[in-house]
Amino acid sequence: MIRFAEELNDIQLEAVRHFGGPLLVLAGAGSGKTRVITYKIAHLVLENGLRPWEILAVTFTNKAAGEMRERVEELLGPEAREVWLGTFHSIGLRLLRRHADLTTRTANFVVYDDDDRKRLLDRVIKSLNIAKDTLTVRSAAYWIDQQQHALRGPTHAQLPTETYKDRLCARVYEGYEKAKVQADAFDFGDLIGQTVKLLEKHAPLLSEYQYRWRYILVDEFQDTDHAQYRLIKLLAGEKANVCVVGDDDQSIYRWRGAEVGNILGFPNDFPGRTVQTVSLEQNYRSTSNILKAASGLISANTQRHKKELWTQKDAGEKVRMVQSDTEVGEARWVINQALKRHREGTPLREIAVFYRTHAQSRHFEDALRIESLPYVVVGGMKFYERKEVKDILSYLRLAHNPKDDVALMRIINEPPRGIGQTTIKRAAVLATDEECSLYNGMLRLVETPDGKRARKPVARFQRLMDQLRQQAVDGADVFRVAEAVLAETGYVKRLQDEGTMEAQSRKENVEELMVSIQNWAERAEDRSLAAFLDHVSLLTSLDENRDKSDDAMMLMSVHAAKGLEFDSVFVTGLEEQVFPHFNSSDDPEALEEERRLAYVAITRGRERVTISWARSRQRFGRLDFNPPSRFLREIPKEACVNEMEDRFQAHTGNRGGWAAASNASRAPKSTPAKSWTRVSSERELDFEDNQSAGGAGGGVGAQVSHPSFGMGTIKKLDGDGPNARVTVHFKTVGTKKIVARFLQFVE
């Protein structure tokens, strides 16, 4: 027997007992929303007299649906299995499969995954004679996604056609829909959009399901897009017995179509019906100081339902706010603190590091390897295993060893260069017959009649690899070879032309790889391509071993952290242009979503939250010097404590810390490495103007700081300007040769 009044708090009980008409449950982070949903299903059956099959419960992930079903079965027993409970897409699939005769597909239709979809789009684009440099498959797929989220079909009058790209995409969209019909297939987005179309077109069918499902519950309502919300309103009908549970402060998926306006506007979406709103504000997860910090931050958003989380737990530790000199110093300090907490008894799996973009993980992975700590990258691949990173590394591998067939197969058409599969297959046969590498087999094939059509693209590829290989043979610095790869292949330009958020993320990873190579070259005695490839191969083998650990530290983007919780969390990279992301600079709605992201990050912590940022961050050949994030100023001072990180930075006096955020307007945003200037007690290294002895300017004897090696003294200068080679004696690692632009002059 369920004792509802004893097992729920007063507000939860109010939400569970409500029956008749629309209900909005604003469930703050850690407030027990899943408990409310599952107990409400039980209450509908046991107290309101509904039969289990008259209830529809919808969520977003199979994992969430599985956990919810388990909890309902614990309350109701076997009859809980009759509740229609699943994801939006699984419900849509069931309806489309049942009523396929009312669609343009058969009951045996297939559902295309992302890879199938891209292959079909590629075929459509080719059939329309659209050049790949004009419209990529990824770009077209992203554009079509946006139309599907908004329920705009290929002939819809509201399709955007303002630009030439829009008009091309509209043509592709139309061809893509026709091709799916011919293939008897739906894609993932169709499972919602085509279900809505089915119900809107066939009124008797809609009435059947409106009568069948007397009550509808929606979990994570803040993540719904236009199509999903339209489906719910159709099924709810005039009786509108629908309960939506969500938190507008945790709406963070606008990039995949989620509309925070759905939950913000819900109270006004049912004319003639009273919409009840219940706010779950008691938090069962975090300490009082963590909640104060999170609540103070999110209160700066204007588009939100007003609420404030509270807890009966102790105040706990204040949120720590720590500034580091560089992103390397930030990573080392964070991992050092995590190790300290682990030694004090916190399991590694209860310690998480959050970052805004996946590219930021590299420094944390490096620091974890130094400490020999196991870790797991959640929601993404390890840095050196990401596609774009492996692509660039494969070019370097093939330049080093032309017999590396695996590397060749990876990059032969990355970016596309017109070497078809038929050519590759024939080259493979020839290589086997003549016992040579695939590369040589391909070169031999194009000299035969069978390879005539591929002669030009193969020749261009050969010239590219010959050029890269010559640099490697001549002993060029690995960074120079990598620069040549990006310049000659057009890899980065292709990502730029795609114009999608995914492409932007991939471009950032390529940039981070270049920074990684440059940093490694500055530390290494042997800066050759061969030495770097050995270095990377050892790192990746270690990664594979550590992934198998039962107790490992968690690294993840903030997006991946949604729905999780940990004893101790580190929220990193709180700088302007990083977090909030630079894409949000001129978009008030995007900026509010960035603030919601930060809110989500902070509320993942149970006992301890640390927020960190770096004064400088290397990015693709330049040193970014962004001011501290505006979000730091929005966190109440009584809930946090400012600490200066000093273990991994040069000791040059007070560098601003949390208070520096108030002076953000005076800090430079992003300055090329050859001319950047330091804030506070450090200034630009002026090697062009002064190379005199005695420590004046940037000359011999001057004190300098390096992001990795700390403080040192200049012993010798070779060359002029920011690319001069500087011999520096460091207290920690001895004498090193460093490029001038990576040093900071200390007064």
Side-chain angles (χ1 to χ4, degrees):
M1 180 178 179
I2 305 173
R3 297 179 173 85
F4 292 97
E6 297 176 15
E7 297 175 26
L8 301 166
N9 66 40
D10 292 344
I11 305 299
Q12 291 173 336
L13 186 62
E14 180 184 351
V16 166
R17 284 176 170 173
H18 177 274
F19 184 76
L23 171 66
L24 170 62
V25 180
L26 295 171
S31 63
K33 69 175 179 63
T34 304
R35 188 175 185 84
V36 167
I37 293 172
T38 54
Y39 271 74
K40 189 168 184 65
I41 292 173
H43 194 274
L44 288 169
V45 174
L46 299 176
E47 303 294 334
N48 296 118
L50 271 66
R51 290 164 290 187
W53 59 86
E54 295 178 320
I55 301 170
L56 172 65
V58 191
T59 188
F60 275 84
T61 67
N62 291 316
K63 180 182 178 183
E67 292 176 351
M68 193 177 295
R69 185 171 293 281
E70 288 178 6
R71 294 197 190 185
V72 175
E73 287 186 10
E74 289 175 1
L75 297 172
L76 291 179
E79 65 176 330
R81 298 168 188 171
E82 298 178 16
V83 175
W84 277 62
L85 198 160
T87 66
F88 276 98
H89 293 92
S90 69
I91 299 297
L93 178 59
R94 289 176 71 177
L95 294 182
L96 289 173
R97 196 73 77 184
R98 281 189 173 191
H99 308 286
D101 58 313
L102 300 176
T103 73
T104 55
R105 309 315 195 262
T106 73
N108 295 320
F109 67 80
V110 297
V111 180
Y112 281 165
D113 62 17
D114 283 344
D115 186 62
D116 298 325
R117 185 173 187 243
K118 289 173 182 176
R119 290 176 185 273
L120 184 58
L121 279 170
D122 183 57
R123 199 173 80 198
V124 171
I125 290 171
K126 288 177 179 176
S127 71
L128 295 172
N129 295 316
I130 299 173
K132 289 187 176 181
D133 58 353
T134 303
L135 181 67
T136 66
V137 170
R138 289 180 182 273
S139 188
Y142 181 79
W143 190 93
I144 292 172
D145 275 341
Q146 302 312 304
Q147 313 319 313
Q148 289 181 323
H149 290 311
L151 289 175
R152 293 192 287 262
T155 58
H156 201 289
Q158 294 181 4
L159 277 179
T161 55
E162 291 82 5
T163 67
Y164 178 64
K165 179 182 176 182
D166 286 337
R167 292 189 287 274
L168 280 182
C169 286
R171 290 176 59 201
V172 172
Y173 192 10
E174 184 177 10
Y176 175 63
E177 290 302 309
K178 290 179 180 178
K180 283 190 295 180
V181 173
Q182 292 174 352
D184 195 20
F186 287 123
D187 65 21
F188 207 62
D190 288 330
L191 299 182
I192 307 299
Q194 291 295 331
T195 302
V196 170
K197 184 178 180 180
L198 173 70
L199 296 174
E200 288 181 333
K201 190 175 180 180
H202 301 280
L205 185 65
L206 175 60
S207 297
E208 177 187 335
Y209 283 105
Q210 288 175 339
Y211 178 79
R212 178 189 185 96
W213 290 320
R214 295 178 58 192
Y215 206 96
I216 301 172
L217 300 101
V218 184
D219 188 22
E220 302 287 2
F221 183 64
Q222 77 279 347
D223 295 332
T224 55
D225 62 17
H226 173 72
Q228 290 160 338
Y229 190 23
R230 177 61 181 161
L231 177 61
I232 294 301
K233 286 199 287 187
L234 278 172
L235 293 173
E238 292 184 1
K239 63 180 182 294
N241 285 333
V242 56
C243 169
V244 299
V245 183
D247 183 7
D248 50 299
D249 291 336
Q250 297 186 70
S251 179
I252 59 174
Y253 296 118
R254 191 173 75 142
W255 52 274
R256 70 182 189 194
E259 296 186 9
V260 70
N262 290 346
I263 191 169
L264 294 176
F266 186 86
N268 303 314
D269 283 351
F270 298 87
R273 302 303 302 266
T274 300
V275 179
Q276 181 74 26
T277 300
V278 176
S279 293
L280 305 181
E281 297 180 334
Q282 183 176 357
N283 178 282
Y284 295 92
R285 177 188 301 156
S286 306
T287 64
S288 178
N289 276 320
I290 292 174
L291 296 182
K292 284 180 182 178
S295 297
L297 170 67
I298 200 62
S299 66
N301 273 2
T302 58
Q303 300 298 311
R304 64 185 294 264
H305 292 289
K306 188 177 180 180
K307 54 189 168 301
E308 187 167 347
L309 298 182
W310 62 276
T311 182
Q312 292 182 340
K313 296 179 70 174
D314 294 336
E317 293 186 11
K318 290 187 176 183
V319 173
R320 301 175 70 187
M321 310 185 85
V322 181
Q323 175 184 265
S324 298
D325 198 41
T326 68
E327 74 271 35
V328 175
E330 178 188 35
R332 291 185 180 180
W333 187 88
V334 166
I335 299 309
N336 177 266
Q337 291 298 303
L339 180 59
K340 180 180 178 183
R341 294 176 187 181
H342 178 53
R343 288 169 176 166
E344 293 172 350
T346 303
L348 288 176
R349 61 180 175 273
E350 288 294 343
I351 303 173
V353 177
F354 302 151
Y355 35 76
R356 178 61 181 83
T357 65
H358 284 295
Q360 294 169 250
S361 77
R362 200 254 308 173
H363 294 295
F364 297 102
E365 293 185 58
D366 288 347
L368 283 160
R369 283 189 288 264
I370 291 173
E371 297 292 344
S372 298
L373 288 174
Y375 67 93
V376 174
V377 179
V378 179
M381 301 174 67
K382 292 191 173 175
F383 183 80
Y384 291 105
E385 295 175 353
R386 293 168 191 165
K387 179 189 180 304
E388 52 278 8
V389 173
K390 295 191 74 167
D391 286 347
I392 304 304
L393 291 176
S394 293
Y395 274 107
L396 297 177
R397 285 167 50 188
L398 194 63
H400 175 63
N401 179 11
K403 296 181 179 180
D404 191 338
D405 289 351
V406 173
L408 174 64
M409 287 298 296
R410 185 174 188 92
I411 52 89
I412 186 69
N413 277 308
E414 196 62 46
R417 50 176 56 89
I419 302 175
Q421 288 300 312
T422 301
T423 298
I424 296 172
K425 290 177 181 177
R426 288 174 175 173
V429 172
L430 186 61
T432 301
D433 291 342
E434 299 192 12
E435 298 182 347
C436 64
S437 69
L438 179 59
Y439 183 82
N440 284 334
M442 187 169 59
L443 297 183
R444 296 178 188 182
L445 176 68
V446 296
E447 299 302 321
T448 70
D450 286 342
K452 184 178 180 180
R453 293 182 61 183
R455 196 165 292 164
K456 288 185 178 180
V458 169
R460 288 194 294 270
F461 182 67
Q462 182 183 9
R463 286 195 295 272
L464 167 66
M465 296 313 304
D466 285 348
Q467 179 184 346
L468 297 177
R469 192 171 298 115
Q470 190 60 52
Q471 289 200 36
V473 172
D474 291 343
D477 186 301
V478 61
F479 184 75
R480 303 304 170 205
V481 183
E483 279 186 323
V485 169
L486 299 189
E488 300 300 326
T489 63
Y491 195 98
V492 172
K493 183 180 183 303
R494 185 184 177 220
L495 294 177
Q496 289 173 333
D497 292 343
E498 282 187 21
T500 66
M501 294 191 67
E502 181 186 356
Q504 177 62 41
S505 178
R506 294 176 62 199
K507 178 176 173 288
E508 291 174 355
N509 286 334
V510 173
E511 295 172 353
E512 186 62 20
L513 173 65
M514 296 301 290
V515 172
S516 165
I517 294 173
Q518 196 163 30
N519 287 344
W520 176 87
E522 289 299 328
R523 298 192 302 269
E525 293 183 5
D526 182 358
R527 300 191 299 274
S528 68
L529 173 59
F532 176 74
L533 292 174
D534 285 345
H535 164 72
V536 172
S537 66
L538 291 173
L539 290 182
T540 54
S541 66
L542 287 171
D543 289 346
E544 292 173 0
N545 293 333
R546 286 178 179 152
D547 255 353
K548 300 175 183 179
S549 173
D550 291 330
D551 188 27
M553 194 177 305
M554 303 295 177
L555 306 183
M556 67 191 76
S557 70
V558 182
H559 283 101
K562 177 86 176 321
L564 304 177
E565 57 185 74
F566 303 89
D567 285 346
S568 183
V569 303
F570 295 85
V571 188
T572 67
L574 267 291
E575 307 134 36
E576 293 292 312
Q577 307 298 308
V578 178
F579 200 174
H581 196 271
F582 65 84
N583 283 341
S584 67
S585 300
D586 301 319
D587 186 343
E589 291 186 8
L591 182 60
E592 292 216 344
E593 179 154 311
E594 289 290 304
R595 189 174 285 108
R596 293 195 292 270
L597 264 176
Y599 172 83
V600 166
I602 293 171
T603 54
R604 299 311 93 193
R606 298 192 193 99
E607 305 294 335
R608 294 172 172 172
V609 172
T610 300
I611 299 174
S612 67
W613 66 98
R615 297 191 62 199
S616 62
R617 190 175 295 272
Q618 288 185 27
R619 182 183 174 120
F620 207 40
R622 71 173 189 264
L623 191 67
D624 283 354
F625 210 127
N626 297 315
S629 172
R630 70 193 71 189
F631 299 157
L632 299 173
R633 301 194 300 273
E634 297 166 356
I635 296 175
K637 292 183 180 179
E638 63 269 20
C640 63
V641 57
N642 177 35
E643 300 180 8
M644 294 304 303
E645 180 273 305
D646 59 9
R647 181 172 178 180
F648 301 107
Q649 70 182 12
H651 296 270
T652 59
N654 192 311
R655 301 186 174 210
W658 176 83
S662 63
N663 300 318
S665 62
R666 298 201 296 266
K669 289 186 177 181
S670 178
T671 316
K674 63 181 181 180
S675 63
W676 66 271
T677 56
R678 274 307 260 171
V679 178
S680 89
S681 61
E682 300 178 3
R683 66 179 177 80
E684 182 181 0
L685 274 172
D686 190 3
F687 289 97
E688 297 185 25
D689 298 335
N690 194 319
Q691 298 187 24
S692 64
V700 174
Q703 296 294 302
V704 293
S705 172
H706 186 272
S708 300
F709 306 140
M711 292 290 294
T713 303
I714 296 177
K715 298 298 183 182
K716 183 181 178 182
L717 299 173
D718 295 312
D720 300 318
N723 293 316
R725 303 289 295 184
V726 187
T727 301
V728 181
H729 180 75
F730 296 99
K731 297 177 182 179
T732 55
V733 295
T735 300
K736 296 280 186 180
K737 282 189 175 181
I738 309 290
V739 175
R741 65 179 180 271
F742 294 106
L743 296 171
Q744 301 157 0
F745 180 74
V746 182
E747 293 181 339

